[in-house]
Amino acid sequence: LFIFHPTPVLVNIGNHFDLKASVFTAPRRGIYSFSFHVVKVYNRQTIQVNLMQNEYPVISAFAGDQDVTREAASNGVLLMVERDDRVYLKLERGNLMGGWKYSTFSGFLVFPL
Amino acid sequence: LFIFHPTPVLVNIGNHFDLKASVFTAPRRGIYSFSFHVVKVYNRQTIQVNLMQNEYPVISAFAGDQDVTREAASNGVLLMVERDDRVYLKLERGNLMGGWKYSTFSGFLVFPL
Amino acid sequence: LFIFHPTPVLVNIGNHFDLKASVFTAPRRGIYSFSFHVVKVYNRQTIQVNLMQNEYPVISAFAGDQDVTREAASNGVLLMVERDDRVYLKLERGNLMGGWKYSTFSGFLVFPL
């Protein structure tokens, strides 16, 4: 159970979210719900954000509008996660000029297996 | 508990999600959380996606920007669902040229009633 | 456990969501999941929606495209909430001409503390 939020992390029960690396390491096997909203500020690039499970992209989200000040690349998923799996966001394409402000990344255990 | 994802379905605990029809049939009465992100590829149409409970639309989401490559129609909801209710997505307007790639549809039981 | 939806509120287990004020008052301490999708109709303004916990903004979402008919400002978060905390949406900037149609605001207790 954690939230990635630029500063601060709002909730990090169990301390399974590594703040420095922004990586969640699963404390146990189960189904987890993850969702993210990554906000880009005005620029001409399209961003693609991947939710990664270990080394593999699971889902992607995009934000590509050139005319708006702030736009979010959002998605969410339920994932079967093994103990010690690492789940994190990867900026596959584009950049986030201005950082992660307003972006969120949340997850929690829906039920254990 | 399921995820609709074009290929493959990532999680389908209990096997209550019919992959061919893309319809979730509730195994029991309760409150369920549903969310979806339907991605359209570049085209000039606006899409409207409805989350359907049996024959009734519950919530809608839209994606209508003509200038971006990929854009998601996203929404989410908590629903009181009776046993055997069917929950699914319906493309009410527009088309998804290029299919459901990157789209997700997830749901899980929050608590039984 | 509640959903804000213009009319009607779809789920309001425990009756902790005040329909008139659109404010959720937490019945007990715990981690709650909140998410919202606020849809604006066509107009030239950018909207900013804040999720408020008591008097404090926790997360924000934006919708600013001038060329699309409907666009959602979406975000979601896990929050540590004390008993009697009030959680609600605030339109920080812009207006929603045409009201909250298609908008949703959902929350549920992930686990008690």
Side-chain angles (χ1 to χ4, degrees), chain A residues 47-91:
Chain A
I47 61 168
Q48 174 178 359
V49 179
N50 289 347
L51 178 73
M52 308 290 290
Q53 185 173 12
N54 299 318
E55 281 72 45
Y56 304 100
V58 181
I59 53 171
S60 297
F62 302 87
D65 200 309
Q66 304 189 350
D67 304 319
V68 297
T69 312
R70 287 193 187 88
E71 192 192 8
S74 298
N75 213 336
V77 82
L78 294 170
L79 271 191
M80 159 91 83
V81 172
E82 300 293 331
R83 190 171 190 276
D84 292 331
D85 274 3
R86 294 154 55 251
V87 181
Y88 54 99
L89 297 178
K90 184 182 172 192
L91 187 63

Side-chain angles (χ1 to χ4, degrees), chain B residues 32-74:
Chain B
Y32 290 75
S33 168
F34 293 98
S35 65
F36 61 91
H37 300 262
V38 173
V39 178
K40 77 171 180 79
V41 291
Y42 180 83
N43 68 60
R44 303 237 140 237
Q45 293 184 302
T46 291
I47 62 169
Q48 175 178 358
V49 179
N50 288 347
L51 179 75
M52 309 289 290
Q53 185 174 13
N54 300 316
E55 282 70 45
Y56 304 100
V58 182
I59 53 171
S60 298
F62 302 87
D65 200 306
Q66 304 190 350
D67 303 319
V68 296
T69 312
R70 288 191 186 88
E71 193 192 5
S74 300

Side-chain angles (χ1 to χ4, degrees), chain A residues 23-41:
Chain A
V23 170
F24 171 73
T25 303
R28 57 170 304 166
R29 191 167 183 259
I31 304 295
Y32 290 75
S33 168
F34 293 98
S35 65
F36 60 92
H37 300 262
V38 174
V39 178
K40 77 171 179 79
V41 291

Side-chain angles (χ1 to χ4, degrees), chain C residues 39-58:
Chain C
V39 178
K40 78 172 178 77
V41 292
Y42 181 83
N43 69 59
R44 304 237 139 240
Q45 292 184 302
T46 291
I47 62 168
Q48 175 178 357
V49 179
N50 289 346
L51 178 73
M52 308 289 289
Q53 184 173 13
N54 299 318
E55 282 70 46
Y56 304 99
V58 182

Side-chain angles (χ1 to χ4, degrees), chain C residues 59-113:
Chain C
I59 53 171
S60 297
F62 303 86
D65 200 307
Q66 304 190 349
D67 304 318
V68 296
T69 312
R70 288 191 186 87
E71 193 192 7
S74 300
N75 213 336
V77 83
L78 294 171
L79 272 189
M80 161 90 84
V81 173
E82 299 294 330
R83 190 172 189 277
D84 292 330
D85 273 3
R86 296 157 52 254
V87 180
Y88 55 97
L89 297 179
K90 185 182 173 192
L91 187 61
E92 186 68 28
R93 204 149 52 105
N95 75 63
L96 290 177
M97 282 170 45
W100 291 78
K101 208 183 169 206
Y102 299 115
S103 299
T104 59
F105 176 31
S106 313
F108 58 92
L109 181 64
V110 175
F111 66 77
L113 286 178

